[in-house]
Short mmCIF file of all heavy atoms in Angstrom, two decimals:
data_model
loop_
_atom_site.label_atom_id
_atom_site.label_comp_id
_atom_site.label_asym_id
_atom_site.label_seq_id
_atom_site.Cartn_x
_atom_site.Cartn_y
_atom_site.Cartn_z
N PRO A 30 79.35 78.43 132.82
CA PRO A 30 78.99 79.37 131.76
C PRO A 30 80.23 80.05 131.17
O PRO A 30 81.25 80.19 131.85
CB PRO A 30 78.10 80.39 132.46
CG PRO A 30 78.55 80.35 133.88
CD PRO A 30 78.97 78.91 134.14
N ILE A 31 80.12 80.48 129.92
CA ILE A 31 81.16 81.27 129.28
C ILE A 31 80.65 82.70 129.25
O ILE A 31 79.54 82.97 128.79
CB ILE A 31 81.45 80.77 127.85
CG1 ILE A 31 81.86 79.30 127.86
CG2 ILE A 31 82.53 81.64 127.20
CD1 ILE A 31 81.99 78.68 126.48
N VAL A 32 81.47 83.63 129.76
CA VAL A 32 81.08 85.04 129.85
C VAL A 32 81.91 85.84 128.86
O VAL A 32 83.13 85.71 128.82
CB VAL A 32 81.29 85.57 131.29
CG1 VAL A 32 80.92 87.03 131.38
CG2 VAL A 32 80.48 84.74 132.28
N TYR A 33 81.23 86.68 128.09
CA TYR A 33 81.89 87.49 127.07
C TYR A 33 81.85 88.96 127.45
O TYR A 33 81.02 89.39 128.24
CB TYR A 33 81.20 87.30 125.71
CG TYR A 33 81.34 85.89 125.20
CD1 TYR A 33 80.39 84.93 125.48
CD2 TYR A 33 82.45 85.52 124.46
CE1 TYR A 33 80.53 83.63 125.03
CE2 TYR A 33 82.61 84.22 124.00
CZ TYR A 33 81.63 83.28 124.29
OH TYR A 33 81.79 82.00 123.85
N GLY A 34 82.76 89.73 126.87
CA GLY A 34 82.85 91.16 127.14
C GLY A 34 84.08 91.46 127.97
O GLY A 34 84.83 90.56 128.38
N TYR A 35 84.31 92.74 128.22
CA TYR A 35 85.46 93.15 129.02
C TYR A 35 85.21 92.75 130.47
O TYR A 35 84.26 93.21 131.09
CB TYR A 35 85.68 94.66 128.90
CG TYR A 35 86.97 95.11 129.52
CD1 TYR A 35 88.16 94.97 128.84
CD2 TYR A 35 86.99 95.65 130.80
CE1 TYR A 35 89.36 95.36 129.40
CE2 TYR A 35 88.18 96.05 131.38
CZ TYR A 35 89.36 95.91 130.67
OH TYR A 35 90.55 96.30 131.24
N PRO A 36 86.05 91.89 131.04
CA PRO A 36 85.77 91.35 132.39
C PRO A 36 86.15 92.30 133.52
O PRO A 36 87.14 93.03 133.45
CB PRO A 36 86.64 90.10 132.45
CG PRO A 36 87.79 90.41 131.55
CD PRO A 36 87.23 91.27 130.45
N SER A 37 85.35 92.26 134.56
CA SER A 37 85.66 92.99 135.78
C SER A 37 86.65 92.16 136.61
O SER A 37 86.91 90.99 136.30
CB SER A 37 84.38 93.21 136.59
OG SER A 37 83.87 91.97 137.04
N TYR A 38 87.17 92.76 137.65
CA TYR A 38 88.08 92.05 138.55
C TYR A 38 87.37 90.84 139.17
O TYR A 38 87.97 89.76 139.31
CB TYR A 38 88.59 92.99 139.65
CG TYR A 38 89.52 92.32 140.61
CD1 TYR A 38 90.84 92.04 140.24
CD2 TYR A 38 89.09 91.95 141.89
CE1 TYR A 38 91.70 91.39 141.11
CE2 TYR A 38 89.96 91.32 142.77
CZ TYR A 38 91.26 91.05 142.38
OH TYR A 38 92.11 90.41 143.25
N GLU A 39 86.08 91.01 139.51
CA GLU A 39 85.32 89.93 140.12
C GLU A 39 85.18 88.74 139.16
O GLU A 39 85.24 87.59 139.57
CB GLU A 39 83.93 90.42 140.55
CG GLU A 39 83.96 91.37 141.73
CD GLU A 39 84.32 92.81 141.37
OE1 GLU A 39 84.35 93.16 140.16
OE2 GLU A 39 84.59 93.58 142.30
N LEU A 40 85.00 89.04 137.86
CA LEU A 40 84.92 87.95 136.89
C LEU A 40 86.24 87.21 136.76
O LEU A 40 86.27 85.99 136.62
CB LEU A 40 84.47 88.47 135.52
CG LEU A 40 83.00 88.87 135.42
CD1 LEU A 40 82.71 89.47 134.05
CD2 LEU A 40 82.10 87.67 135.67
N TRP A 41 87.36 87.94 136.81
CA TRP A 41 88.68 87.29 136.79
C TRP A 41 88.81 86.34 137.98
O TRP A 41 89.30 85.22 137.86
CB TRP A 41 89.81 88.32 136.84
CG TRP A 41 90.07 89.02 135.56
CD1 TRP A 41 89.74 90.31 135.25
CD2 TRP A 41 90.73 88.50 134.40
NE1 TRP A 41 90.14 90.61 133.97
CE2 TRP A 41 90.75 89.52 133.42
CE3 TRP A 41 91.28 87.27 134.10
CZ2 TRP A 41 91.32 89.34 132.17
CZ3 TRP A 41 91.85 87.09 132.84
CH2 TRP A 41 91.86 88.11 131.90
N GLU A 42 88.36 86.80 139.14
CA GLU A 42 88.43 85.96 140.34
C GLU A 42 87.57 84.71 140.20
O GLU A 42 87.99 83.62 140.58
CB GLU A 42 87.98 86.75 141.57
CG GLU A 42 88.97 87.78 142.04
CD GLU A 42 88.49 88.52 143.27
OE1 GLU A 42 87.28 88.80 143.39
OE2 GLU A 42 89.34 88.81 144.13
N GLU A 43 86.38 84.86 139.66
CA GLU A 43 85.48 83.72 139.47
C GLU A 43 86.06 82.72 138.47
O GLU A 43 85.91 81.52 138.65
CB GLU A 43 84.09 84.18 139.02
CG GLU A 43 83.30 84.88 140.11
CD GLU A 43 83.08 84.01 141.33
OE1 GLU A 43 82.63 82.86 141.19
OE2 GLU A 43 83.37 84.49 142.46
N GLU A 44 86.75 83.22 137.45
CA GLU A 44 87.40 82.31 136.51
C GLU A 44 88.53 81.55 137.21
O GLU A 44 88.69 80.34 137.01
CB GLU A 44 87.94 83.04 135.29
CG GLU A 44 88.54 82.07 134.29
CD GLU A 44 89.16 82.72 133.08
OE1 GLU A 44 89.96 83.65 133.24
OE2 GLU A 44 88.86 82.25 131.97
N GLU A 45 89.30 82.24 138.04
CA GLU A 45 90.38 81.59 138.78
C GLU A 45 89.84 80.48 139.69
O GLU A 45 90.50 79.47 139.88
CB GLU A 45 91.16 82.62 139.62
CG GLU A 45 92.05 83.52 138.81
CD GLU A 45 93.25 82.77 138.22
OE1 GLU A 45 93.83 81.94 138.93
OE2 GLU A 45 93.56 83.03 137.05
N LYS A 46 88.65 80.69 140.24
CA LYS A 46 88.02 79.68 141.11
C LYS A 46 87.41 78.53 140.31
O LYS A 46 87.02 77.53 140.88
CB LYS A 46 86.91 80.33 141.95
CG LYS A 46 87.40 81.34 142.95
CD LYS A 46 86.21 81.97 143.64
CE LYS A 46 86.60 83.15 144.50
NZ LYS A 46 85.42 83.82 145.08
N GLY A 47 87.31 78.70 138.98
CA GLY A 47 86.73 77.66 138.15
C GLY A 47 85.22 77.73 138.03
O GLY A 47 84.58 76.77 137.61
N ASN A 48 84.64 78.88 138.39
CA ASN A 48 83.18 79.03 138.36
C ASN A 48 82.64 79.48 137.01
O ASN A 48 81.44 79.42 136.77
CB ASN A 48 82.73 80.01 139.43
CG ASN A 48 83.02 79.50 140.81
OD1 ASN A 48 83.05 78.30 141.05
ND2 ASN A 48 83.26 80.41 141.74
N LEU A 49 83.51 79.99 136.14
CA LEU A 49 83.11 80.42 134.81
C LEU A 49 84.34 80.48 133.92
O LEU A 49 85.46 80.38 134.40
CB LEU A 49 82.41 81.79 134.84
CG LEU A 49 83.18 82.99 135.41
CD1 LEU A 49 84.03 83.66 134.35
CD2 LEU A 49 82.19 83.99 135.95
N LYS A 50 84.10 80.62 132.62
CA LYS A 50 85.19 80.76 131.66
C LYS A 50 85.01 82.08 130.95
O LYS A 50 83.91 82.42 130.51
CB LYS A 50 85.17 79.61 130.65
CG LYS A 50 86.27 79.74 129.62
CD LYS A 50 86.26 78.61 128.64
CE LYS A 50 87.39 78.85 127.63
NZ LYS A 50 87.37 77.90 126.55
N LEU A 51 86.09 82.85 130.84
CA LEU A 51 86.04 84.10 130.10
C LEU A 51 86.21 83.78 128.62
O LEU A 51 87.14 83.10 128.22
CB LEU A 51 87.13 85.06 130.59
CG LEU A 51 86.98 85.53 132.03
CD1 LEU A 51 88.17 86.37 132.44
CD2 LEU A 51 85.68 86.32 132.20
N GLY A 52 85.28 84.29 127.82
CA GLY A 52 85.25 83.96 126.40
C GLY A 52 85.85 85.01 125.49
O GLY A 52 85.87 84.83 124.28
N GLY A 53 86.32 86.12 126.05
CA GLY A 53 86.90 87.17 125.23
C GLY A 53 85.94 88.33 125.03
O GLY A 53 84.80 88.31 125.47
N CYS A 54 86.42 89.33 124.33
CA CYS A 54 85.65 90.55 124.16
C CYS A 54 84.74 90.54 122.93
O CYS A 54 83.88 91.38 122.80
CB CYS A 54 86.58 91.76 124.09
SG CYS A 54 87.43 92.06 125.65
N LYS A 55 84.97 89.62 122.01
CA LYS A 55 84.15 89.57 120.80
C LYS A 55 82.82 88.90 121.13
O LYS A 55 82.74 87.71 121.40
CB LYS A 55 84.85 88.80 119.69
CG LYS A 55 84.07 88.80 118.42
CD LYS A 55 84.80 88.06 117.32
CE LYS A 55 83.92 88.04 116.07
NZ LYS A 55 84.41 87.12 115.07
N ILE A 56 81.76 89.70 121.08
CA ILE A 56 80.43 89.19 121.39
C ILE A 56 79.72 88.90 120.08
O ILE A 56 79.55 89.78 119.24
CB ILE A 56 79.64 90.21 122.24
CG1 ILE A 56 80.39 90.47 123.54
CG2 ILE A 56 78.24 89.71 122.50
CD1 ILE A 56 79.83 91.59 124.38
N ASP A 57 79.35 87.64 119.88
CA ASP A 57 78.71 87.19 118.66
C ASP A 57 77.54 86.29 119.05
O ASP A 57 77.68 85.49 119.98
CB ASP A 57 79.73 86.42 117.82
CG ASP A 57 79.20 85.98 116.49
OD1 ASP A 57 78.36 85.06 116.46
OD2 ASP A 57 79.63 86.54 115.47
N PRO A 58 76.41 86.38 118.38
CA PRO A 58 75.28 85.54 118.76
C PRO A 58 75.54 84.04 118.59
O PRO A 58 74.82 83.22 119.15
CB PRO A 58 74.14 86.00 117.84
CG PRO A 58 74.77 86.81 116.78
CD PRO A 58 76.09 87.29 117.29
N ASN A 59 76.58 83.68 117.86
CA ASN A 59 76.90 82.26 117.67
C ASN A 59 77.95 81.73 118.64
O ASN A 59 78.34 80.57 118.56
CB ASN A 59 77.37 82.03 116.23
CG ASN A 59 76.28 82.31 115.24
OD1 ASN A 59 75.13 81.94 115.44
ND2 ASN A 59 76.62 83.01 114.17
N ASN A 60 78.42 82.57 119.56
CA ASN A 60 79.40 82.14 120.55
C ASN A 60 78.81 81.03 121.43
O ASN A 60 77.62 81.08 121.78
CB ASN A 60 79.81 83.29 121.46
CG ASN A 60 80.75 84.26 120.80
OD1 ASN A 60 81.33 83.97 119.77
ND2 ASN A 60 80.90 85.42 121.39
N PRO A 61 79.63 80.07 121.84
CA PRO A 61 79.13 79.05 122.78
C PRO A 61 78.83 79.68 124.13
O PRO A 61 79.44 80.68 124.52
CB PRO A 61 80.28 78.05 122.87
CG PRO A 61 81.49 78.77 122.41
CD PRO A 61 81.03 79.84 121.47
N GLU A 62 77.86 79.11 124.83
CA GLU A 62 77.43 79.62 126.14
C GLU A 62 77.94 78.79 127.31
O GLU A 62 77.96 79.26 128.43
CB GLU A 62 75.90 79.64 126.22
CG GLU A 62 75.24 80.51 125.21
CD GLU A 62 73.74 80.41 125.25
OE1 GLU A 62 73.21 79.26 125.28
OE2 GLU A 62 73.09 81.45 125.26
N TRP A 63 78.30 77.54 127.04
CA TRP A 63 78.67 76.60 128.11
C TRP A 63 79.98 75.91 127.81
O TRP A 63 80.30 75.66 126.65
CB TRP A 63 77.57 75.56 128.30
CG TRP A 63 76.26 76.18 128.67
CD1 TRP A 63 75.21 76.43 127.84
CD2 TRP A 63 75.87 76.66 129.95
NE1 TRP A 63 74.19 77.02 128.53
CE2 TRP A 63 74.57 77.18 129.83
CE3 TRP A 63 76.49 76.70 131.20
CZ2 TRP A 63 73.88 77.73 130.91
CZ3 TRP A 63 75.80 77.25 132.26
CH2 TRP A 63 74.52 77.75 132.11
N HIS A 64 80.72 75.56 128.87
CA HIS A 64 82.02 74.89 128.77
C HIS A 64 82.01 73.71 129.74
O HIS A 64 81.72 73.88 130.93
CB HIS A 64 83.13 75.87 129.13
CG HIS A 64 84.47 75.23 129.23
ND1 HIS A 64 85.27 75.00 128.14
CD2 HIS A 64 85.16 74.77 130.31
CE1 HIS A 64 86.39 74.43 128.54
NE2 HIS A 64 86.34 74.27 129.85
N CYS A 65 82.35 72.53 129.24
CA CYS A 65 82.46 71.34 130.09
C CYS A 65 83.87 71.27 130.64
O CYS A 65 84.85 71.26 129.89
CB CYS A 65 82.14 70.09 129.29
SG CYS A 65 82.34 68.57 130.25
N LYS A 66 83.99 71.20 131.95
CA LYS A 66 85.30 71.14 132.59
C LYS A 66 85.95 69.77 132.44
O LYS A 66 87.16 69.65 132.58
CB LYS A 66 85.17 71.50 134.07
CG LYS A 66 84.79 72.97 134.28
CD LYS A 66 84.44 73.29 135.71
CE LYS A 66 85.65 73.39 136.57
NZ LYS A 66 85.35 73.86 137.94
#
């Protein structure tokens, strides 16, 4: 999943593990929700 908004420390850790992708702080209804590794 792609997660938007200001990330917590836990979200940074999950991104480092490859469990999610941080999408940035701009939240838009047209933002993609999924990322293929």
